[in-house]
Each structure stands twice: as structure tokens, then as C-alpha cells.
Amino acid sequence: MSLPHAILTALLEKPSSGLELTRRFDRSIGYFWSATHQQIYRELGKLEAEGHIRALPSKQPARGQKKSYEVLPAGRAELARWTAASQDPKPHRDVMLLRLRAAAVVGTDGLETDLRRHLELHRLQLAEYQEIEKRDFPPGKDAPQDRLRHLVLRAGIDLETFWTQWLTHALEEFAELPGPATA
């Protein structure tokens, strides 16, 4: 149920078309809640049907013109209700961790290479988040909205830091394994 709330959040920040939302998801929200172009358009239709958003009137009627949407009071109320509601954490599911567990019984062929690839990907993502932090959150940018957005970014930085440290440790463990590890 979170995609509609992600869209309501984005539209409250700035009324947008579906294409603009897709681009914004790619640049910010998508770092922690991804959605395809089709999913976004499908949710826009549902949110409009539920009376949570509306298409802004266009300046010039034209066939095929993109619609921009804004949040209606019912949408703001739904987002506030959802934000205030309690929610339990979801269990963590990670394919790499499952693969490592399986390697304990079938062997580690190919796994070390993929661990190195994952480490590089997490290092790149961490660098990107750190660059965003440097660019978008300079010292003194302390408005409540900025502090909350920065808190979300810090979660990404901390998660990527965790994964780079953990993968480095995993590769050190691999280096100490005797020969090819097999069951």
C-alpha cells in the first residue's frame, strides 16, 4: 500500500505529470521505493478515482497532452493517516545471504566474484549518496522538511556503509577458506 503514499508525497512536494513523477522517482524516491512508469500511471488513475488527486486543468486543450496532478484534501488526509499509523518492520529478505547459506552445502563456485561485484555496486551507490548529501544538505540547512529528507538520505548512506563493510568482511572470510569450499 506504500506506492500510492509515495506518489501522494511527491505530488504534495510538487504537482507533476506522470512522466515527471517517473523522473523524480528515478532521482530521489526511487532510491528507497522504486516503481515503473506503468505502476505510477496505474496508481495515478486509482488515486484520481478515489478522489485523492485531480488532474490540473490544462491551459490549452490538446489531444495527447500530458496531465499534471495535484493532491486534494482527501489525499492529504489519507497521507497524514498513513504517516501517523503504526507499522511493524518487514522481515529482511536478501538473495545474497540465501546464496551464502546455500553455498555452505553445495560449494562456493562463482560466489566470490559476485561478492566483489556487489561490493563495487554498493561502493558506487554510497559515493552517489554522499555526493547528494554534500550537494543538497550543506551545513545550516536546518528547516524541518530538510532535516527529515536528510534523515532519509542518511538511512541510505548508513545502509550502503553497512553493506560495504559486511561485503569486505565476507571477502576476507572467503580468502581464509581452504580451497574450493564444498559440502
Side-chain angles (χ1 to χ4, degrees):
M1 182 77 173
S2 296
L3 179 56
H5 299 102
I7 291 172
L8 287 170
T9 299
L11 289 175
L12 279 169
E13 291 174 343
K14 179 182 176 191
S16 305
S17 69
L19 181 58
E20 291 165 337
L21 279 172
T22 300
R23 289 180 180 145
R24 289 174 59 206
F25 265 71
D26 289 344
R27 288 190 320 264
S28 61
I29 293 171
Y31 287 124
F32 57 90
W33 197 269
S34 62
T36 66
H37 190 72
Q38 292 82 7
Q39 289 171 317
I40 290 171
Y41 273 96
R42 193 169 34 249
E43 284 302 325
L44 285 170
K46 289 177 187 176
L47 288 167
E48 191 171 26
E50 292 167 353
H52 291 167
I53 64 171
R54 73 175 180 116
L56 293 169
S58 91
K59 295 176 178 133
Q60 298 176 337
R63 193 175 137 106
Q65 183 176 358
K66 69 180 180 181
K67 290 189 218 177
S68 285
Y69 296 89
E70 69 177 353
V71 176
L72 296 171
R76 180 180 283 275
E78 169 54 23
L79 187 59
R81 181 208 61 77
W82 178 77
T83 301
S86 177
Q87 186 174 1
D88 292 335
K90 301 285 185 221
H92 181 74
R93 293 170 49 164
D94 189 279
V95 173
M96 180 58 77
L97 297 177
L98 182 57
R99 289 173 62 210
L100 280 169
R101 181 72 182 249
V105 293
V106 299
T108 61
D109 286 350
L111 203 47
E112 184 175 0
T113 300
D114 209 32
L115 284 169
R116 291 185 189 289
R117 187 178 69 81
H118 278 242
L119 177 57
E120 183 58 24
L121 291 171
H122 284 288
R123 283 179 175 157
L124 290 170
Q125 189 64 66
L126 177 58
E128 185 174 346
Y129 285 163
Q130 289 170 330
E131 186 57 38
I132 291 169
E133 182 179 43
K134 189 185 310 180
R135 181 191 69 219
D136 293 350
F137 298 101
K141 192 170 184 180
D142 288 336
Q145 300 89 338
D146 293 325
R147 292 177 71 179
L148 291 173
R149 288 182 185 117
H150 191 197
L151 190 60
V152 172
L153 178 62
R154 283 299 320 170
I157 290 170
D158 291 348
L159 284 169
E160 294 303 329
T161 299
F162 163 79
W163 282 113
T164 57
Q165 291 172 347
W166 183 85
L167 287 159
T168 299
H169 176 73
L171 287 164
E172 290 167 356
E173 287 290 325
F174 261 72
E176 293 180 17
L177 292 175
T182 57

